[in-house]
Amino acid sequence: TDKITVEGIKVGYMYREKSDEKMDSGWRFFSGTEDQEYVDDLNNTMVYDVNTIANYDRAIIPYLNLPYGTELERIENSNEFQIITE
């Protein structure tokens, strides 16, 4: 979301879903501060190459090869993420 690419907030939540588009890695990145109203406004989201997001927040790089269905959240005050299990 623009919270990352415009406001410069680090990725706080990311998940990977299977995509029908060949060029889509399936990763979705959020700062974790967005509410539903913000996400529903298409002006606040954009499709980016994963490399672009990695340039904003290099901490995501070690996790990019995780499988579809993976959901991660940043461990507070760190550059590490933990898998969310429900």
Side-chain angles (χ1 to χ4, degrees):
T1 69
D2 283 353
K3 296 279 189 174
I4 297 165
T5 58
V6 175
E7 296 182 33
I9 300 173
K10 297 293 185 190
V11 174
Y13 170 75
M14 56 194 261
Y15 69 92
R16 190 173 192 191
E17 63 185 11
K18 189 122 175 107
S19 173
D20 293 332
E21 301 291 326
K22 185 176 181 177
M23 299 298 291
D24 183 358
S25 69
W27 282 109
R28 309 296 182 249
F29 302 100
F30 300 85
S31 71
T33 64
E34 302 89 346
D35 60 18
Q36 192 62 50
E37 183 179 352
Y38 182 90
V39 173
D40 288 343
D41 183 344
L42 296 179
N43 293 313
N44 295 324
T45 60
M46 179 69 94
V47 176
Y48 292 95
D49 186 280
V50 172
N51 187 55
T52 301
I53 303 303
N55 284 326
Y56 282 95
D57 188 351
R58 298 186 59 76
I60 69 167
I61 295 172
Y63 305 96
L64 295 178
N65 288 326
L66 291 174
Y68 299 109
T70 300
E71 188 175 359
L72 301 160
E73 66 183 351
R74 186 181 292 268
I75 298 170
E76 192 171 341
N77 299 318
S78 79
N79 284 324
E80 295 181 10
F81 288 80
Q82 61 188 6
I83 293 177
I84 298 171
T85 57
E86 293 187 59

PDB file of all heavy atoms in Angstrom, residues 2 4 7 9 12 21 24 28 40 46 57 59 63-64 68 70 74-75 78 81-82:
ATOM      1  N   ASP A   2       0.242   2.377  -0.181  1.00  0.00           N
ATOM      2  CA  ASP A   2       0.963   3.649  -0.161  1.00  0.00           C
ATOM      3  C   ASP A   2       1.605   3.936   1.195  1.00  0.00           C
ATOM      4  O   ASP A   2       2.501   4.770   1.291  1.00  0.00           O
ATOM      5  CB  ASP A   2       0.024   4.801  -0.522  1.00  0.00           C
ATOM      6  CG  ASP A   2      -0.266   4.872  -2.015  1.00  0.00           C
ATOM      7  OD1 ASP A   2       0.357   4.119  -2.784  1.00  0.00           O
ATOM      8  OD2 ASP A   2      -1.119   5.691  -2.411  1.00  0.00           O
ATOM      9  N   ILE A   4       3.587   2.126   2.578  1.00  0.00           N
ATOM     10  CA  ILE A   4       4.975   1.685   2.388  1.00  0.00           C
ATOM     11  C   ILE A   4       5.668   2.550   1.346  1.00  0.00           C
ATOM     12  O   ILE A   4       6.724   3.122   1.607  1.00  0.00           O
ATOM     13  CB  ILE A   4       5.015   0.196   1.974  1.00  0.00           C
ATOM     14  CG1 ILE A   4       4.440  -0.673   3.090  1.00  0.00           C
ATOM     15  CG2 ILE A   4       6.444  -0.229   1.607  1.00  0.00           C
ATOM     16  CD1 ILE A   4       4.103  -2.086   2.677  1.00  0.00           C
ATOM     17  N   GLU A   7       4.478   6.794   2.159  1.00  0.00           N
ATOM     18  CA  GLU A   7       4.748   7.289   3.506  1.00  0.00           C
ATOM     19  C   GLU A   7       6.036   6.737   4.107  1.00  0.00           C
ATOM     20  O   GLU A   7       6.530   7.248   5.110  1.00  0.00           O
ATOM     21  CB  GLU A   7       3.562   6.987   4.420  1.00  0.00           C
ATOM     22  CG  GLU A   7       2.295   7.723   3.984  1.00  0.00           C
ATOM     23  CD  GLU A   7       1.126   7.471   4.900  1.00  0.00           C
ATOM     24  OE1 GLU A   7       1.336   7.290   6.126  1.00  0.00           O
ATOM     25  OE2 GLU A   7      -0.015   7.452   4.399  1.00  0.00           O
ATOM     26  N   ILE A   9       6.618   3.790   5.578  1.00  0.00           N
ATOM     27  CA  ILE A   9       6.491   2.893   6.727  1.00  0.00           C
ATOM     28  C   ILE A   9       6.976   1.506   6.301  1.00  0.00           C
ATOM     29  O   ILE A   9       6.724   1.062   5.190  1.00  0.00           O
ATOM     30  CB  ILE A   9       5.025   2.840   7.218  1.00  0.00           C
ATOM     31  CG1 ILE A   9       4.562   4.244   7.644  1.00  0.00           C
ATOM     32  CG2 ILE A   9       4.873   1.836   8.358  1.00  0.00           C
ATOM     33  CD1 ILE A   9       3.094   4.323   7.984  1.00  0.00           C
ATOM     34  N   GLY A  12       4.875  -4.377   7.736  1.00  0.00           N
ATOM     35  CA  GLY A  12       4.534  -4.951   9.038  1.00  0.00           C
ATOM     36  C   GLY A  12       3.777  -6.253   8.915  1.00  0.00           C
ATOM     37  O   GLY A  12       3.732  -7.061   9.836  1.00  0.00           O
ATOM     38  N   GLU A  21      -1.719 -14.660 -12.647  1.00  0.00           N
ATOM     39  CA  GLU A  21      -0.827 -13.861 -13.483  1.00  0.00           C
ATOM     40  C   GLU A  21       0.598 -14.380 -13.371  1.00  0.00           C
ATOM     41  O   GLU A  21       1.130 -14.514 -12.266  1.00  0.00           O
ATOM     42  CB  GLU A  21      -0.865 -12.390 -13.048  1.00  0.00           C
ATOM     43  CG  GLU A  21      -2.229 -11.748 -13.104  1.00  0.00           C
ATOM     44  CD  GLU A  21      -2.726 -11.572 -14.519  1.00  0.00           C
ATOM     45  OE1 GLU A  21      -1.900 -11.326 -15.421  1.00  0.00           O
ATOM     46  OE2 GLU A  21      -3.945 -11.695 -14.721  1.00  0.00           O
ATOM     47  N   ASP A  24       3.064 -12.217 -11.400  1.00  0.00           N
ATOM     48  CA  ASP A  24       2.685 -11.909 -10.022  1.00  0.00           C
ATOM     49  C   ASP A  24       3.271 -12.947  -9.077  1.00  0.00           C
ATOM     50  O   ASP A  24       2.955 -14.128  -9.158  1.00  0.00           O
ATOM     51  CB  ASP A  24       1.160 -11.884  -9.915  1.00  0.00           C
ATOM     52  CG  ASP A  24       0.650 -11.502  -8.550  1.00  0.00           C
ATOM     53  OD1 ASP A  24       1.460 -11.273  -7.629  1.00  0.00           O
ATOM     54  OD2 ASP A  24      -0.577 -11.431  -8.394  1.00  0.00           O
ATOM     55  N   ARG A  28       1.698  -9.928  -1.028  1.00  0.00           N
ATOM     56  CA  ARG A  28       0.936  -8.718  -0.737  1.00  0.00           C
ATOM     57  C   ARG A  28       1.568  -8.099   0.506  1.00  0.00           C
ATOM     58  O   ARG A  28       1.799  -8.788   1.500  1.00  0.00           O
ATOM     59  CB  ARG A  28      -0.537  -9.037  -0.463  1.00  0.00           C
ATOM     60  CG  ARG A  28      -1.200  -9.912  -1.544  1.00  0.00           C
ATOM     61  CD  ARG A  28      -1.254  -9.214  -2.895  1.00  0.00           C
ATOM     62  NE  ARG A  28      -1.921 -10.021  -3.888  1.00  0.00           N
ATOM     63  CZ  ARG A  28      -1.328 -10.593  -4.935  1.00  0.00           C
ATOM     64  NH1 ARG A  28      -0.018 -10.460  -5.108  1.00  0.00           N
ATOM     65  NH2 ARG A  28      -2.014 -11.289  -5.805  1.00  0.00           N
ATOM     66  N   ASP A  40      -9.724  -0.505   0.979  1.00  0.00           N
ATOM     67  CA  ASP A  40     -10.788  -0.532  -0.022  1.00  0.00           C
ATOM     68  C   ASP A  40     -10.677   0.602  -1.036  1.00  0.00           C
ATOM     69  O   ASP A  40     -11.235   0.512  -2.126  1.00  0.00           O
ATOM     70  CB  ASP A  40     -12.164  -0.462   0.660  1.00  0.00           C
ATOM     71  CG  ASP A  40     -12.515  -1.755   1.381  1.00  0.00           C
ATOM     72  OD1 ASP A  40     -11.875  -2.793   1.104  1.00  0.00           O
ATOM     73  OD2 ASP A  40     -13.429  -1.717   2.229  1.00  0.00           O
ATOM     74  N   MET A  46      -1.298  -0.298  -5.122  1.00  0.00           N
ATOM     75  CA  MET A  46      -0.727  -0.360  -6.461  1.00  0.00           C
ATOM     76  C   MET A  46      -0.015  -1.696  -6.597  1.00  0.00           C
ATOM     77  O   MET A  46       0.417  -2.275  -5.599  1.00  0.00           O
ATOM     78  CB  MET A  46       0.256   0.796  -6.663  1.00  0.00           C
ATOM     79  CG  MET A  46       0.926   0.834  -8.002  1.00  0.00           C
ATOM     80  SD  MET A  46      -0.207   1.248  -9.319  1.00  0.00           S
ATOM     81  CE  MET A  46       0.040   2.999  -9.420  1.00  0.00           C
ATOM     82  N   ASP A  57      12.146  -1.916   1.905  1.00  0.00           N
ATOM     83  CA  ASP A  57      12.311  -2.640   3.161  1.00  0.00           C
ATOM     84  C   ASP A  57      13.026  -3.969   2.891  1.00  0.00           C
ATOM     85  O   ASP A  57      12.404  -4.975   2.565  1.00  0.00           O
ATOM     86  CB  ASP A  57      10.948  -2.893   3.806  1.00  0.00           C
ATOM     87  CG  ASP A  57      11.042  -3.471   5.203  1.00  0.00           C
ATOM     88  OD1 ASP A  57      12.150  -3.844   5.640  1.00  0.00           O
ATOM     89  OD2 ASP A  57       9.988  -3.559   5.860  1.00  0.00           O
ATOM     90  N   ALA A  59      14.230  -6.077   4.786  1.00  0.00           N
ATOM     91  CA  ALA A  59      13.949  -7.148   5.742  1.00  0.00           C
ATOM     92  C   ALA A  59      13.040  -8.231   5.166  1.00  0.00           C
ATOM     93  O   ALA A  59      13.017  -9.352   5.673  1.00  0.00           O
ATOM     94  CB  ALA A  59      13.330  -6.572   7.016  1.00  0.00           C
ATOM     95  N   TYR A  63      12.403 -13.910   3.201  1.00  0.00           N
ATOM     96  CA  TYR A  63      11.129 -14.625   3.277  1.00  0.00           C
ATOM     97  C   TYR A  63      10.462 -14.825   1.914  1.00  0.00           C
ATOM     98  O   TYR A  63       9.453 -15.516   1.818  1.00  0.00           O
ATOM     99  CB  TYR A  63      10.176 -13.856   4.200  1.00  0.00           C
ATOM    100  CG  TYR A  63      10.779 -13.627   5.560  1.00  0.00           C
ATOM    101  CD1 TYR A  63      11.429 -12.424   5.853  1.00  0.00           C
ATOM    102  CD2 TYR A  63      10.747 -14.604   6.538  1.00  0.00           C
ATOM    103  CE1 TYR A  63      12.020 -12.212   7.096  1.00  0.00           C
ATOM    104  CE2 TYR A  63      11.320 -14.403   7.782  1.00  0.00           C
ATOM    105  CZ  TYR A  63      11.964 -13.207   8.050  1.00  0.00           C
ATOM    106  OH  TYR A  63      12.542 -13.017   9.271  1.00  0.00           O
ATOM    107  N   LEU A  64      11.012 -14.262   0.879  1.00  0.00           N
ATOM    108  CA  LEU A  64      10.331 -14.229  -0.418  1.00  0.00           C
ATOM    109  C   LEU A  64      10.196 -15.582  -1.103  1.00  0.00           C
ATOM    110  O   LEU A  64       9.368 -15.729  -2.003  1.00  0.00           O
ATOM    111  CB  LEU A  64      11.014 -13.225  -1.345  1.00  0.00           C
ATOM    112  CG  LEU A  64      10.924 -11.771  -0.883  1.00  0.00           C
ATOM    113  CD1 LEU A  64      11.672 -10.863  -1.853  1.00  0.00           C
ATOM    114  CD2 LEU A  64       9.471 -11.328  -0.735  1.00  0.00           C
ATOM    115  N   TYR A  68       3.213 -20.387  -1.190  1.00  0.00           N
ATOM    116  CA  TYR A  68       1.886 -19.778  -1.197  1.00  0.00           C
ATOM    117  C   TYR A  68       1.158 -20.184   0.076  1.00  0.00           C
ATOM    118  O   TYR A  68       1.346 -21.281   0.579  1.00  0.00           O
ATOM    119  CB  TYR A  68       1.081 -20.224  -2.419  1.00  0.00           C
ATOM    120  CG  TYR A  68       1.719 -19.825  -3.717  1.00  0.00           C
ATOM    121  CD1 TYR A  68       2.305 -20.760  -4.556  1.00  0.00           C
ATOM    122  CD2 TYR A  68       1.744 -18.489  -4.103  1.00  0.00           C
ATOM    123  CE1 TYR A  68       2.897 -20.381  -5.750  1.00  0.00           C
ATOM    124  CE2 TYR A  68       2.343 -18.098  -5.296  1.00  0.00           C
ATOM    125  CZ  TYR A  68       2.917 -19.045  -6.111  1.00  0.00           C
ATOM    126  OH  TYR A  68       3.512 -18.668  -7.275  1.00  0.00           O
ATOM    127  N   THR A  70       1.604 -18.567   2.905  1.00  0.00           N
ATOM    128  CA  THR A  70       2.375 -18.053   4.032  1.00  0.00           C
ATOM    129  C   THR A  70       1.867 -16.666   4.415  1.00  0.00           C
ATOM    130  O   THR A  70       1.590 -15.835   3.564  1.00  0.00           O
ATOM    131  CB  THR A  70       3.874 -17.971   3.680  1.00  0.00           C
ATOM    132  OG1 THR A  70       4.353 -19.269   3.361  1.00  0.00           O
ATOM    133  CG2 THR A  70       4.675 -17.397   4.832  1.00  0.00           C
ATOM    134  N   ARG A  74       5.743  -8.682  11.175  1.00  0.00           N
ATOM    135  CA  ARG A  74       7.040  -8.246  11.698  1.00  0.00           C
ATOM    136  C   ARG A  74       7.056  -8.386  13.214  1.00  0.00           C
ATOM    137  O   ARG A  74       6.084  -8.064  13.896  1.00  0.00           O
ATOM    138  CB  ARG A  74       7.297  -6.790  11.322  1.00  0.00           C
ATOM    139  CG  ARG A  74       8.697  -6.305  11.715  1.00  0.00           C
ATOM    140  CD  ARG A  74       8.920  -4.845  11.366  1.00  0.00           C
ATOM    141  NE  ARG A  74       8.960  -4.616   9.949  1.00  0.00           N
ATOM    142  CZ  ARG A  74      10.070  -4.623   9.197  1.00  0.00           C
ATOM    143  NH1 ARG A  74      11.242  -4.866   9.739  1.00  0.00           N
ATOM    144  NH2 ARG A  74       9.994  -4.384   7.904  1.00  0.00           N
ATOM    145  N   ILE A  75       8.167  -8.881  13.727  1.00  0.00           N
ATOM    146  CA  ILE A  75       8.378  -8.910  15.170  1.00  0.00           C
ATOM    147  C   ILE A  75       8.715  -7.480  15.577  1.00  0.00           C
ATOM    148  O   ILE A  75       9.619  -6.868  15.005  1.00  0.00           O
ATOM    149  CB  ILE A  75       9.509  -9.886  15.544  1.00  0.00           C
ATOM    150  CG1 ILE A  75       9.120 -11.308  15.116  1.00  0.00           C
ATOM    151  CG2 ILE A  75       9.814  -9.805  17.032  1.00  0.00           C
ATOM    152  CD1 ILE A  75      10.249 -12.312  15.205  1.00  0.00           C
ATOM    153  N   SER A  78      12.098  -4.996  15.177  1.00  0.00           N
ATOM    154  CA  SER A  78      13.144  -5.850  14.621  1.00  0.00           C
ATOM    155  C   SER A  78      13.048  -5.864  13.095  1.00  0.00           C
ATOM    156  O   SER A  78      12.136  -5.293  12.515  1.00  0.00           O
ATOM    157  CB  SER A  78      13.017  -7.286  15.154  1.00  0.00           C
ATOM    158  OG  SER A  78      12.011  -7.990  14.475  1.00  0.00           O
ATOM    159  N   PHE A  81      10.531 -11.386  10.769  1.00  0.00           N
ATOM    160  CA  PHE A  81       9.097 -11.663  10.699  1.00  0.00           C
ATOM    161  C   PHE A  81       8.838 -13.023  11.312  1.00  0.00           C
ATOM    162  O   PHE A  81       9.712 -13.886  11.356  1.00  0.00           O
ATOM    163  CB  PHE A  81       8.638 -11.663   9.237  1.00  0.00           C
ATOM    164  CG  PHE A  81       8.597 -10.304   8.613  1.00  0.00           C
ATOM    165  CD1 PHE A  81       9.751  -9.705   8.147  1.00  0.00           C
ATOM    166  CD2 PHE A  81       7.396  -9.618   8.483  1.00  0.00           C
ATOM    167  CE1 PHE A  81       9.731  -8.451   7.568  1.00  0.00           C
ATOM    168  CE2 PHE A  81       7.361  -8.359   7.905  1.00  0.00           C
ATOM    169  CZ  PHE A  81       8.524  -7.768   7.444  1.00  0.00           C
ATOM    170  N   GLN A  82       7.618 -13.211  11.778  1.00  0.00           N
ATOM    171  CA  GLN A  82       7.208 -14.517  12.270  1.00  0.00           C
ATOM    172  C   GLN A  82       5.995 -14.983  11.480  1.00  0.00           C
ATOM    173  O   GLN A  82       5.172 -14.154  11.059  1.00  0.00           O
ATOM    174  CB  GLN A  82       6.898 -14.479  13.769  1.00  0.00           C
ATOM    175  CG  GLN A  82       5.775 -13.560  14.151  1.00  0.00           C
ATOM    176  CD  GLN A  82       5.644 -13.428  15.658  1.00  0.00           C
ATOM    177  OE1 GLN A  82       6.451 -13.943  16.417  1.00  0.00           O
ATOM    178  NE2 GLN A  82       4.617 -12.713  16.103  1.00  0.00           N
TER     179      GLN A  82
END
